[in-house]
Amino acid sequence: MTTAALDARAGRRCHNVLNSLHATHYFSPDLGEELDALGITHPKARNFAVRAAALGPVGPGTVAAAFYNYKYELVARHVPAVWESATPAQTLAARARAADATLRRLLGEETLASREMAEAARLALRATEACTRPARPLYSAHADLPVPDRPHLALFHAATLLREHRGDGHVAVLMSAELDGLEAVVTHTATGKGMTPKWVFGTRGWSQEDWDAACARLRERGLLDAAGELTERGVALRAEIEAETDRLDRAPYEHLGPEGVARLTELGKTFAGAALGAGAFPADLIGKG
């Protein structure tokens, strides 16, 4: 194995643990309470509101394009109507309060005030210094937001930037692989590392009929077999997609350096593990179904 390959996988591991920490607020009752107070009460509208707010009061086309794997009709049912309940600025403030409350509940005050939390925030912010804006709309929009003063919120902010930076690049790779949004989800679920169909249907707006049609298209391409498992070609394509995503996302982790990446990953694992142990995620979220 080459040094470059090792660096790429190290960056992916670091991203994965930080993304787990970032994602806790999407499943948090604290987010629901904050958005309910603003009049954003529909569960599906909440995700669109908090993730798209950095883009401004955009319409459904922009959100569907940036998010990639949501059904347009679902997006259009909630966007731009959600901005009639709360402005993007109000939504971002609510998101910050929810992230604060969620991390306090899952990790505890002692962890939030620890040297390790401050160190993780410094390392993650340093990594974001090498992120790039072109062709990365969600990252670039979030990069315009101020860095919070408190370390745990600074870490959340940095994790958000790193997540959206990789995600924007990942979308470009999926398009190059000629996988539409649902086909990308189906192949990811088939790896055993993506969301279960139940959660795809409940959060992305797709139906069983849509899923079956996507599976049929993937079978025609030789990527999925009759049982819904990835073929050899399908496994190879998913590996190529992740490797190319790693390549497009390598700059932040190269900037941080091997020791910094290893240390940030270690700290992130501790925090994400504690959050997982505290019940941050539904038990049936990940898997083939």
Side-chain angles (χ1 to χ4, degrees):
M1 291 185 291
T2 66
T3 302
L6 287 170
D7 287 343
R9 283 192 286 273
R12 189 194 308 177
R13 288 193 294 270
C14 189
H15 162 269
N16 287 342
V17 296
L18 292 178
N19 186 45
S20 294
L21 195 64
H22 161 90
T24 56
H25 81 295
Y26 288 122
F27 301 92
S28 170
D30 304 303
L31 183 63
E33 291 174 8
E34 288 288 347
L35 293 181
D36 282 350
L38 295 180
I40 303 175
T41 58
H42 197 290
K44 293 183 177 65
R46 292 171 182 161
N47 181 273
F48 298 136
V50 295
R51 193 170 174 219
L55 295 167
V58 295
T62 300
V63 174
F67 286 24
Y68 196 69
N69 59 20
Y70 288 74
K71 191 170 185 176
Y72 173 81
E73 288 77 8
L74 173 65
V75 179
R77 282 200 289 272
H78 301 288
V79 178
V82 68
W83 309 129
E84 297 174 5
S85 298
T87 66
Q90 291 172 324
T91 304
L92 288 168
R95 182 190 206 183
R97 292 192 298 271
D100 180 45
T102 299
L103 293 175
R104 290 183 185 281
R105 177 170 47 80
L106 295 175
L107 303 183
E109 297 290 343
E110 183 176 348
T111 296
L112 265 58
S114 67
R115 293 180 180 178
E116 289 78 9
M117 179 62 70
E119 180 185 6
R122 288 194 300 271
L123 290 169
L125 287 170
R126 189 185 306 161
T128 67
E129 293 171 355
C131 291
T132 55
R133 291 178 182 272
R136 288 185 163 96
L138 280 170
Y139 159 74
S140 193
H142 284 88
D144 284 341
L145 303 178
V147 179
D149 293 329
R150 286 174 288 179
H152 66 287
L153 292 182
L155 176 61
F156 176 82
H157 174 75
T160 302
L161 296 184
L162 293 169
R163 170 223 172 95
E164 300 298 5
H165 187 269
R166 183 178 179 88
D168 287 335
H170 188 60
V171 167
V173 176
L174 292 173
M175 290 185 65
S176 179
E178 298 184 346
L179 292 177
D180 65 28
L182 182 52
E183 291 166 355
V185 171
V186 171
T187 57
H188 192 208
T189 295
T191 69
K193 299 177 181 179
M195 289 193 303
T196 61
K198 168 189 170 181
W199 277 92
V200 174
F201 300 156
T203 63
R204 267 54 177 173
W206 304 105
S207 67
Q208 184 67 58
E209 183 179 2
D210 295 326
W211 183 275
D212 292 342
C215 288
R217 295 193 298 273
L218 292 167
R219 285 195 297 271
E220 289 176 3
R221 290 180 60 182
L223 301 175
L224 214 63
D225 65 21
E229 299 291 337
L230 290 172
T231 62
E232 185 175 343
R233 285 179 59 190
V235 170
L237 179 61
R238 286 302 317 188
E240 291 169 7
I241 287 169
E242 294 304 323
E244 182 63 7
T245 302
D246 289 341
R247 188 184 70 82
L248 294 179
D249 193 41
R250 69 187 185 277
Y253 306 101
E254 289 180 348
H255 179 67
L256 187 56
E259 291 185 4
V261 169
R263 179 59 175 160
L264 181 55
T265 303
E266 177 186 13
L267 293 167
K269 280 183 178 179
T270 300
F271 301 145
L276 182 63
F281 301 103
D284 61 350
L285 178 63
I286 302 299
K288 295 184 179 182

